[in-house]
Amino acid sequence: MRAPGRVNLLGDHTDYNDGFVLPMTIDRAVWWAVCANADDRVRLHSVNFDESIEYPLGAHPAVVRGGWSSYVTGVVEELRRRHGLNRGFDGVVYGDVPLGGGLSSSAALEVATTLALQPLLDAPLDPVSAIRLCQDVEHRYAGVRCGIMDQFASRLGRSGCALFLDCRSLAHVDIPLPLDEVSVVIVNSGVERSLASSAYNRRRAECDEAVAHFRRFDPALSALRDVTPQLLDQHGEGLPVRVRNRARHVVEENARVRAASELLSARRFEAFGRSMTESHASLRDLYEVSCEELDGLVDIALATEGVLGGRMTGAGFGGCAVFLTRKALAGELERRVNDDYPARFAVTPTVFVLAGNLEAGAVPDA
Ligand code: GLA
């Protein structure tokens, strides 16, 4: 069983505000081989870390929070408690989603674990319950109060498509993104997302502060998703500038995702690319989750022929940027980034031109 990582094309820091996102899966994933055993023990081995862990099912072990085993043992424990996982198993896991790069290696690991353990459960686990369980594991076992985007994209993203998701209703639409005319190019800045989880949780708290403020003027609203541009203009003044800026980013980013999804459906790639670049400016200036290196990557890319737009992707504070280019000129972006970025920042970038994108599920026979 496998589950892919994801890149988010548009809509960052909107998911936990009940807003809209537009991710797509990538061509890298996490794979499990699992078989039930007869002794009620859980034996796990990570090929990437060359680490093993073994414990009796039900005796949740103390592991490093945020380490690979915290995600896996968290999913195992929640499947046991909620879905009748009551047999031991031996499992080996391997992944090629870059770690800590903003491409959801942890969501891919969680989702792949639910899929691999499905045969050992009481009853089939529907995708949305699995997605919510994985999100919950991230909150409780890894300490990141993430939204639902990453797990949703990894579990339900379709090959050849981006996924437009309403994070409140969970209504979703697959938008075809055939990589024949344009390319999606992902660049890992090589900057570790240090302190990302505390900064992330702080952004969430700022959004909660903004919601509490706007609720004084409209008691019916329950998330920044419900704040209109008019309400923001009329009553935003009462907030500290920093919190007002966070709210403005979310309100405008939600509108941008909805409009840009239409552009993508209509294959209006140039206009879609411009929305990506606008999103970057908002994440940099209003939400303040970019960094010099990601800004530098966007500058380099925008000065390169064939690039239609681009932005940081995911939580930010390092990690990856994503670009849309004319297909014939994707190589040009790769060359420019490999030449100019190390010269400017003394860090080596990694460039992936997306050849296609995977779906979660059983691995087809070779
Ligand atoms: C991380 C979280 C997501 C989302 C993004 C920012 O990837 O896991 O839920 O909030 O950051 O858009």
Side-chain angles (χ1 to χ4, degrees):
M1 281 290 176
R2 72 163 179 226
R6 66 97 189 95
V7 64
N8 190 21
L9 298 176
L10 208 61
D12 271 312
H13 295 277
T14 46
D15 62 350
Y16 53 82
N17 290 299
D18 275 4
F20 303 94
V21 292
L22 188 66
M24 70 187 292
T25 61
I26 57 175
D27 52 2
R28 290 165 176 247
V30 171
W31 290 265
W32 272 109
V34 162
C35 72
N37 62 34
D39 56 14
D40 290 341
R41 294 182 75 78
V42 177
R43 291 192 193 84
L44 306 165
H45 180 76
S46 158
V47 174
N48 298 79
F49 293 94
D50 191 20
E51 261 174 38
S52 298
I53 172 167
E54 178 176 346
Y55 61 99
L57 181 67
H60 184 69
V63 289
V64 180
R65 218 167 147 83
W68 72 274
S69 56
S70 69
Y71 301 106
V72 179
T73 58
V75 171
V76 169
E77 181 60 7
E78 292 308 310
L79 288 176
R80 187 188 70 81
R81 290 168 47 170
R82 305 181 199 184
H83 299 285
L85 173 66
N86 62 6
R87 295 180 64 186
F89 64 92
D90 297 358
V92 177
V93 63
Y94 167 76
D96 64 0
V97 184
L99 299 175
L103 299 177
S104 294
S105 55
S106 63
L109 179 58
E110 294 148 10
V111 170
T113 309
T114 62
L115 288 168
L117 296 178
Q118 172 69 71
L120 306 185
L121 306 183
D122 273 350
L125 181 59
D126 68 277
V128 171
S129 302
I131 289 164
R132 288 199 191 281
L133 182 144
C134 293
Q135 182 192 11
D136 206 31
V137 164
E138 192 100 24
H139 289 198
R140 294 169 48 189
Y141 295 82
V144 180
R145 291 181 61 213
C146 67
I148 203 164
M149 166 171 69
D150 304 345
Q151 292 78 9
F152 206 101
S154 176
R155 180 66 185 80
L156 287 174
R158 290 285 162 256
S159 180
C161 294
L163 176 92
F164 172 80
L165 173 66
D166 176 337
C167 298
R168 172 173 280 167
S169 68
L170 300 188
H172 53 105
V173 180
D174 296 325
I175 302 184
L177 177 46
L179 298 170
D180 52 356
E181 196 176 323
V182 286
S183 291
V184 172
V185 180
I186 301 169
V187 183
N188 193 333
S189 65
V191 179
E192 290 260 342
R193 300 186 306 153
S194 56
L195 297 180
S197 59
S198 52
Y200 183 92
N201 290 343
R202 215 160 40 241
R203 293 298 182 286
R204 280 200 73 148
E206 288 164 348
C207 292
D208 292 344
E209 183 182 340
V211 171
H213 168 80
F214 288 116
R215 206 181 271 143
R216 301 198 341 243
F217 307 98
D218 178 358
L221 68 80
S222 64
L224 283 181
R225 146 80 169 266
D226 305 314
V227 173
T228 60
Q230 295 73 18
L231 189 64
L232 185 65
D233 287 342
Q234 265 171 15
H235 296 295
E237 290 296 320
L239 282 169
V241 177
R242 179 177 35 84
V243 179
R244 183 163 75 229
N245 285 345
R246 307 294 191 246
R248 181 169 297 283
H249 163 75
V250 175
V251 171
E252 293 177 355
E253 185 87 341
N254 275 333
R256 197 158 30 238
V257 176
R258 298 176 84 168
S261 298
E262 303 285 329
L263 296 171
L264 190 60
S265 301
R267 297 179 69 104
R268 293 182 53 197
F269 298 125
E270 290 192 2
F272 182 81
R274 280 195 295 276
S275 301
M276 294 174 77
T277 307
E278 283 164 19
S279 167
H280 182 78
S282 182
L283 288 159
R284 179 191 63 208
D285 301 336
L286 299 178
Y287 219 72
E288 297 181 279
V289 288
S290 187
C291 60
E292 256 181 70
E293 290 86 349
L294 287 167
D295 295 344
L297 277 175
V298 172
D299 289 348
I300 292 167
L302 292 181
T304 305
E305 197 191 346
V307 173
L308 304 177
R311 59 196 283 278
M312 53 150 276
T313 184
F317 316 104
C320 289
V322 59
F323 301 98
L324 193 72
T325 73
R326 298 247 171 255
K327 187 173 170 72
L329 290 165
E332 183 56 24
L333 175 60
E334 189 166 2
R335 267 190 298 282
R336 282 293 291 273
V337 166
N338 281 329
D339 286 352
D340 296 0
Y341 182 75
R344 210 160 134 185
F345 295 105
V347 190
T348 310
T350 317
V351 183
F352 322 88
V353 180
L354 220 59
N357 64 329
L358 295 171
E359 293 183 7
V363 182
D365 291 338

